[in-house]
Amino acid sequence: MKYKKDKSTEEKILEAARKVFVRKGMYGARMQDIANEAGINKALLHYYFKNKQKLFEEIFMEAAGKLFPRINDIFRSEETLFIKIEQFCSEYIAVVLENPYLPLFVLNELNQDPVYFMNKLWKNDKRPDPSKFLQQIEKEEKKGLIKKISPVQLLMNLISMTVFPFVGKPMFQLNLGIDDMQFRMLMEQRKKEIPKFIIESIRK
Amino acid sequence: MKYKKDKSTEEKILEAARKVFVRKGMYGARMQDIANEAGINKALLHYYFKNKQKLFEEIFMEAAGKLFPRINDIFRSEETLFIKIEQFCSEYIAVVLENPYLPLFVLNELNQDPVYFMNKLWKNDKRPDPSKFLQQIEKEEKKGLIKKISPVQLLMNLISMTVFPFVGKPMFQLNLGIDDMQFRMLMEQRKKEIPKFIIESIRK
DNA sequence: TTTGTTTTTAACCATTTGGTTAAAATTTAA
DNA sequence: TTAAATTTTAACCAAATGGTTAAAAACAAA
């Protein structure tokens, strides 16, 4: 008769792996560290996950999965440009506030081998698709609702302002002398601040 | 009698180390890879640089050194806010266009051990000091030259828009379907685009 | 209790990796 | 040319690291 694997142990491992991988990256992470962090034997890791690569991919996909999927929904919806911008900032910051180190982790690994990871991450159908959002910018400009601006540049501005503070978190914290609590508050403010800043700039 | 080390070999090593470290990070880089890339024996690495850590720090400091020092000059000068914003974007993008992978490399390593690297990088006197820039924003606001805005938020917006596209380069390229040449052109445009975008937003 | 199944561990193994050594090759100054 | 100093290499070593094995412990069903 069949039994099932102990879910609590598996989750303990995943939690430990998350912590270690996100902090040290694929290469810097040591299987022993993960085992210690999980409070188990190293061999038990290989009992639950065949090897380091497999375990890493599990963590990476989970991390990237949290980061990207809602974006498409927002960009492809029928809302106005301004609403979309507000939704994007607000939702993205909310997600990342709970996992502030995710963006750097994902971007960093993405950088090691862009094509490999992009294919793993977005199998054809659910690739991030900014085309509708970009067209919408052109349309609203032609309708005279916003000033003339390169859609791609605007998209970059939006994403940059939303994501980068998390990537540069330690740098900002040390140079501005702010602690985790203050950083969190700044990010909370940014949910409204960024849309306001953008809209002030482009609205006619 | 004393002779001097062969500078050309040393430079070959540094160039190889730069390439490998920036691509793979401190942990991912292998001394053998660096030796191969430089076309020399592995033992020769240890003849020129005591160990991996030392070689890495050389590369890291050099990289970070390229990235940060001019910033202080700009932020602390006597120019107007708008001029400073233009200078910052223009100069920073120019530097990074020649080394597009520097920001991610530096931010990533900075993240591993923020305090350690910050101390190594900025020994007290030449720490990045945004205070004058932040005060200037408040002043110009009080003078009625710009709209009311949180100085820290504005600073974050400026830095984010300038730096992030390079950090997310592979992501942008794959999702927008643009090659290195097109990316470079976009960044060239941004030298003017970002200041324009910001100024449109904050000027009264 | 007994028996089959799953979970966990300690001990071990093979490979990789940073680093060393001692000798050979090359260069420099005389 | 020669002798000292420097540069380069092949061979080697010790530690770290990912991964395996075989057996013990814990557990579930009868």
Side-chain angles (χ1 to χ4, degrees), chain A residues 67-93 122 126-140 151-163 194-195 198, chain B residues 164 171-172 175-176:
Chain A
L67 235 42
F68 291 107
R70 276 288 296 154
I71 298 180
N72 256 348
D73 299 345
I74 294 174
F75 281 172
R76 286 203 292 233
S77 82
E78 296 301 322
E79 298 290 347
T80 67
L81 183 61
F82 290 174
I83 299 278
K84 283 186 186 180
I85 291 172
E86 274 161 15
Q87 281 181 344
F88 174 79
C89 290
S90 185
E91 290 201 23
Y92 195 93
I93 290 176
W122 301 304
K126 52 179 184 176
R127 280 261 295 280
D129 173 23
S131 61
K132 177 157 186 179
F133 184 74
L134 295 173
Q135 286 164 19
Q136 188 172 16
I137 295 172
E138 277 193 331
K139 259 188 239 163
E140 301 218 2
V152 170
Q153 298 285 2
L154 177 54
L155 178 66
M156 274 189 175
N157 290 349
L158 170 62
I159 294 177
S160 298
M161 285 192 281
T162 308
V163 180
I194 296 170
I198 294 177
Chain B
F164 187 74
M171 186 191 66
F172 281 123
N175 283 313
L176 296 173

Side-chain angles (χ1 to χ4, degrees), chain A residues 118 147 157 174 190 200, chain B residues 118 147 157 174 190 200:
Chain A
M118 295 293 280
K147 293 177 194 160
N157 290 349
L174 282 170
R190 281 182 85 71
E200 288 282 301
Chain B
M118 296 294 281
K147 293 177 192 159
N157 291 348
L174 282 170
R190 280 181 87 72
E200 288 282 302

